[in-house]
Amino acid sequence: MTRRGFLLGCVGLGVATTPVGLYGAVYEPHDIEIVRRKMAIPKLPSRLDGLTAVQISDLHLSGNGDLHSHLVDQVRKLKPDTILFTGDLIDDQSAIGDGIDIFRSWQPPAGIWAVPGNWDHTATADTIDILVNRLKSAKVRFLVNESAQLEDGLWIAGVDDPSSSLDDVSAAIDSIPAAAPRILLAHSPDIVTSLQDTTFGLVLAGHTHGGQVNLPFFNGAWLKDGPSSEYIQGLFDVHGSPLYVNRGIGTTKLPIRIGARPEITHFTFHAA
């Protein structure tokens, strides 16, 4: 066991026996916050002004039949033009069916776009094509170091998991016209190390869970490495690109959230 794992276990054991632990296990993991953001996208065609997108991340489905009905209803009520998923759908390959059922609940007109996360690779023994191919039945388009037009005049690129050093931004943007507005999906904030020579109208990431357990004496961000320990949640400017880090929906390691409510992010894009 690593030192970090040992300390996490000690914190979890201590917190679990307190009222705060009860709150973190029973209430906060289900208390989804809808965060609304207006984002100016450089060179966005005027006809796309007002386009809406919902970002969700880190469901961490384990195959226990949890279809996140509250999440499904909340997203459906928002009526987004597109849904953007930033990785870690499953913790176990048996949960792919649950993921399909969740995504089938939504039919946004501009589609559902996704990238894989580190747990998706672990759950499929790095055979990520299993997940990519099966989610096609729910009309989910995975972008794995590649890009596509989200709408005519707006491109979306996606990279494989940066926290596992699988991202290739150059390959992801290779087919995008140089002057075209573009959005990048990446599972983790570790993508910032690949943004020094290129910019995007918006970069979306997850992975951190907003720290997941944030106490006066302990911040869960400490358990992450590199940029993921720095860019924990919210909006940042990174080398000229706006980076938004979503807190995600599920949990890992400990089945609790404290001071890091699960998040659905609703974006309205405007021409800059």
Side-chain angles (χ1 to χ4, degrees), residues 204-223:
L204 299 180
H207 182 62
T208 66
H209 302 188
Q212 189 170 313
V213 178
N214 299 315
L215 299 168
F217 60 89
F218 177 84
N219 187 309
W222 179 80
L223 296 168

Side-chain angles (χ1 to χ4, degrees), residues 14-228:
V15 170
T17 58
T18 68
V20 173
L22 182 63
Y23 165 86
V26 175
Y27 181 75
E28 187 165 311
H30 307 287
D31 185 25
I32 298 175
E33 179 182 9
I34 297 175
V35 177
R36 298 178 186 269
R37 291 273 183 174
K38 295 181 179 180
M39 299 298 302
I41 306 294
K43 302 178 182 178
L44 183 73
S46 58
R47 58 185 170 74
L48 296 181
D49 192 273
L51 184 78
T52 60
V54 156
Q55 180 194 7
I56 55 175
S57 195
D58 297 85
L59 266 65
H60 289 284
L61 302 175
S62 60
N64 60 6
D66 183 0
L67 297 183
H68 289 283
S69 58
H70 184 48
L71 167 70
V72 168
D73 290 343
Q74 294 279 61
V75 172
R76 188 183 289 126
K77 289 176 182 177
L78 290 171
K79 299 180 179 178
D81 294 311
T82 186
I83 294 173
L84 309 175
F85 180 73
T86 44
D88 276 3
L89 176 63
I90 58 172
D91 285 358
D92 189 280
Q93 191 169 318
S94 65
I96 292 178
D98 291 341
I100 291 171
D101 289 341
I102 289 171
F103 282 111
R104 276 180 176 164
S105 303
W106 305 314
Q107 297 180 344
I112 302 174
W113 306 85
V115 291
N118 57 299
W119 276 91
D120 298 320
H121 278 278
T122 300
T124 60
D126 281 324
T127 313
I128 201 68
D129 285 348
I130 295 173
L131 183 65
V132 172
N133 290 329
R134 289 194 60 188
L135 266 292
K136 287 179 181 178
S137 65
K139 299 182 179 179
V140 178
R141 169 76 183 274
F142 273 85
L143 296 171
V144 186
N145 296 325
E146 58 186 316
S147 62
Q149 284 201 80
L150 193 156
E151 290 276 11
D152 186 23
L154 175 61
W155 287 75
I156 184 166
V159 293
D160 206 343
D161 176 41
S163 70
S164 305
S165 300
L166 298 172
D167 57 302
D168 188 337
V169 173
S170 295
I173 65 174
D174 184 61
S175 62
I176 302 178
R182 56 194 185 183
I183 295 170
L184 177 66
L185 305 184
H187 174 57
S188 79
D190 299 276
I191 191 63
V192 302
T193 60
S194 301
L195 298 180
Q196 296 178 357
D197 299 320
T198 187
T199 58
F200 292 85
L202 179 63
V203 181
L204 299 180
H207 182 62
T208 66
H209 302 188
Q212 189 170 313
V213 178
N214 299 315
L215 299 168
F217 60 89
F218 177 84
N219 187 309
W222 179 80
L223 296 168
K224 300 293 185 182
D225 293 310
S228 289

